[in-house]
Structure formats: structure tokens, C-alpha cells
């Protein structure tokens, strides 16, 4: 039987680091991914999610309800 590997969990603050580097400081997503040693697809997704957010709930804890949903 193969051991199960847990998925890495990233905090909201860690996800915002590459977003800020790309959007506020003008770095490329690829360079940011290399700098922070994360997969470039992850940085792409985080930036995209941040840009598409229109209710201020980007990167909230998994499974948590927003106050409106509660």
C-alpha cells in the first residue's frame, strides 16, 4: 500500500504575496513562481482568482461560509 500524501495548504497571506508582486510591482508570474519556489500554474491561478474577486472573499479558508452565507 502506498502512503497517502497530504496536499499542501497555503495561507491567505502566502497567496497574496505572489499576487502583490505581479500586480503591484510588475514582476512576471513565472519569475514570481521561481522566486517563491511554487508552481507557476499556482501563481497564475491565484492572480486570476484575485482579479476576478468582486466580493472581497478571495482566499478565505476552505469550507468556511461567508457571513452572508451563514
Amino acid at each position: 500500500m502506498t502512503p497517502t500524501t497530504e496536499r499542501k495548504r497555503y495561507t491567505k497571506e502566502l497567496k497574496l504575496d505572489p499576487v502583490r508582486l505581479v500586480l503591484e510591482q510588475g514582476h512576471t508570474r513565472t519569475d514570481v513562481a521561481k522566486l517563491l519556489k511554487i508552481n507557476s500554474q499556482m501563481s497564475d491561478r491565484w492572480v486570476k482568482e484575485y482579479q476576478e474577486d468582486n466580493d472581497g472573499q478571495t482566499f478565505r479558508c476552505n469550507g468556511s461560509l461567508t457571513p452572508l452565507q451563514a
Side-chain angles (χ1 to χ4, degrees):
M1 181 160 47
T2 60
T4 58
T5 56
E6 286 191 35
R7 295 178 69 178
K8 289 184 181 180
R9 294 181 184 245
Y10 298 99
T11 63
K12 179 178 181 173
E13 292 77 20
L14 190 133
K15 291 178 181 182
L16 287 173
D17 284 344
V19 170
R20 289 183 182 124
L21 288 170
V22 170
L23 298 179
E24 295 174 8
Q25 297 182 18
H27 295 281
T28 67
R29 295 175 187 187
T30 303
D31 289 342
V32 168
K34 288 179 185 176
L35 176 71
L36 298 177
K37 297 180 181 167
I38 59 173
N39 186 302
S40 63
Q41 291 176 342
M42 292 176 76
S43 65
D44 289 346
R45 183 178 61 209
W46 294 341
V47 170
K48 183 178 176 182
E49 287 176 8
Y50 183 84
Q51 289 175 319
E52 291 175 350
D53 176 40
N54 45 350
D55 65 355
Q57 296 299 319
T58 303
F59 311 135
R60 60 188 172 85
C61 297
N62 292 339
S64 298
L65 296 175
T66 64
L68 182 61
Q69 291 170 327

